[in-house]
Amino acid sequence: MTGSASRPVVEDTIRGLRARLDEARAGGQRVGLVPTMGFLHAGHRSLIERARSENDLVVASIFVNPLQFSPGEDFDDYPRDLDHDLAVCAWAGAGIVFAPGRHEMYPGPVVTTVRLGTLADVLCGASRPGHFDGVATVVAKLFSIVGECSAYFGEKDFQQLTIVRRMARDLSLPVRVVGCPTVREPDGLALSSRNAYLSEAERVQAPVLRRALEAGAALVEAGETDGAAVEARMAAVIGSASLARIDYAAAVDPATLTRGQQPLQGDVRLLVAARFGKARLIDNLGCRAG
């Protein structure tokens, strides 16, 4: 059901998109949504392909959301290439690309936002205050615009996936949130639009994040139940890369994202974040304790 090179319809207005989707659902079509910030890579393509395999019509949104960037972050420099993105969407099977301008999504000052609880204050949220409030606000808007659908998110940003699932549940949104496996380079580096920022030397060292996760998972699966010991092991592996500046290495409960529970039991999610030059990279891996 994938591989079609038919050019998707491009909608840049909320009204136009809603009209097309209302017509599709009236005709009995199931709708899939893949929210993105563009500069699409193979990971995004896999999300669109998954959505196409489970739905009759797929909408891929392309919008660089200013609300999730803090002052001094890379909003202006964030990579953009709409022609490339449309080609990826065509080959992956998206029927509609929603590519609104900033004024269409935020026609005036934003005074109503989604405020999140403790899920947003930890891990990436600790070093990027307000980031996940911005993510949740734009995703809530997209869910409202698109309506009843299945929405597909990569597991690479596990905190984001957890937050979106909880938001959809808490707000009773008519959306089934689907998590999809992380797509990786052959050396284990998780695909990310921000990989484009890496210098040659940084790119060589960046797969250390995956190695750190594997080392932590091996420790857990060998019987280690001390979360601090697992985190220290992952941090040590990342520290072996001279160009990496570690943000965090955490072993958490996958439902609550809380760390420090002793002993580790059942499903555990290992998460890491580090900077390589101007690129801040994240990765994660699931394992099971006990």
Side-chain angles (χ1 to χ4, degrees), residues 227-240:
V230 175
E231 292 177 354
R233 175 59 177 151
M234 293 190 294
V237 174
I238 295 172
S240 70

Side-chain angles (χ1 to χ4, degrees), residues 23-288:
E23 181 180 4
R25 277 188 288 262
Q29 295 189 61
R30 296 168 300 170
V31 176
L33 169 66
V34 180
T36 84
M37 292 208 302
F39 207 65
L40 305 184
H41 50 63
H44 298 109
R45 177 169 175 165
S46 73
L47 297 178
I48 298 171
E49 290 174 342
R50 171 75 178 273
R52 185 67 184 91
S53 73
E54 297 180 357
N55 300 277
D56 303 298
L57 176 64
V58 175
V59 180
S61 67
I62 297 175
F63 178 66
V64 182
N65 175 37
L67 296 190
Q68 67 193 70
F69 289 80
S70 300
E73 289 193 328
D74 57 344
F75 175 76
D76 291 333
D77 295 332
Y78 193 85
R80 297 162 171 86
D81 189 342
L82 184 58
D83 288 340
H84 165 79
D85 293 344
L86 292 177
V88 173
C89 288
W91 282 105
I96 300 175
V97 170
F98 180 49
R102 181 170 180 170
H103 184 73
E104 181 69 14
M105 289 295 282
Y106 305 119
V110 180
V111 298
T112 302
T113 61
V114 176
R115 296 298 301 273
L116 300 162
T118 56
L119 287 177
D121 295 334
V122 297
L123 304 171
C124 289
S127 59
R128 304 183 71 190
H131 167 73
F132 286 114
D133 289 346
V135 171
T137 298
V138 77
V139 171
K141 284 179 68 73
L142 289 170
F143 286 0
S144 173
I145 293 164
V146 172
E148 184 176 355
C149 66
S150 296
Y152 297 79
F153 293 82
E155 290 184 351
K156 182 188 74 100
D157 193 336
F158 190 79
Q159 185 172 11
Q160 173 180 274
L161 174 61
T162 302
I163 285 170
V164 170
R165 280 177 168 157
R166 183 60 183 265
M167 180 189 71
R169 187 182 77 185
D170 286 352
L171 300 182
S172 302
L173 300 175
V175 177
R176 181 176 72 102
V177 178
V178 182
C180 301
T182 301
V183 177
R184 300 180 179 278
E185 298 283 4
D187 61 3
L189 179 64
L191 294 185
S192 169
S193 299
R194 288 187 168 92
N195 290 351
Y197 298 155
L198 296 171
S199 69
E200 183 176 347
E202 290 162 352
R203 175 62 186 83
V204 169
Q205 293 193 14
V208 73
L209 296 183
R210 175 66 174 182
R211 294 197 297 273
L213 292 168
E214 290 172 340
L219 206 57
V220 172
E221 290 163 2
E224 181 60 72
T225 60
D226 183 347
V230 175
E231 292 177 354
R233 175 59 177 151
M234 293 190 294
V237 174
I238 295 172
S240 70
S242 61
L243 299 178
R245 290 186 292 125
I246 189 168
D247 186 345
Y248 62 76
V252 306
D253 179 297
T256 65
L257 303 181
T258 55
R259 63 201 295 186
Q261 64 271 26
Q262 298 292 346
L264 296 177
Q265 293 182 343
D267 291 334
V268 175
R269 203 78 186 189
L270 307 179
L271 301 102
V272 294
R275 288 189 178 276
F276 293 83
K278 66 182 295 188
R280 182 180 182 277
L281 304 184
I282 59 175
D283 205 347
N284 68 89
L285 184 66
C287 58
R288 189 166 179 82

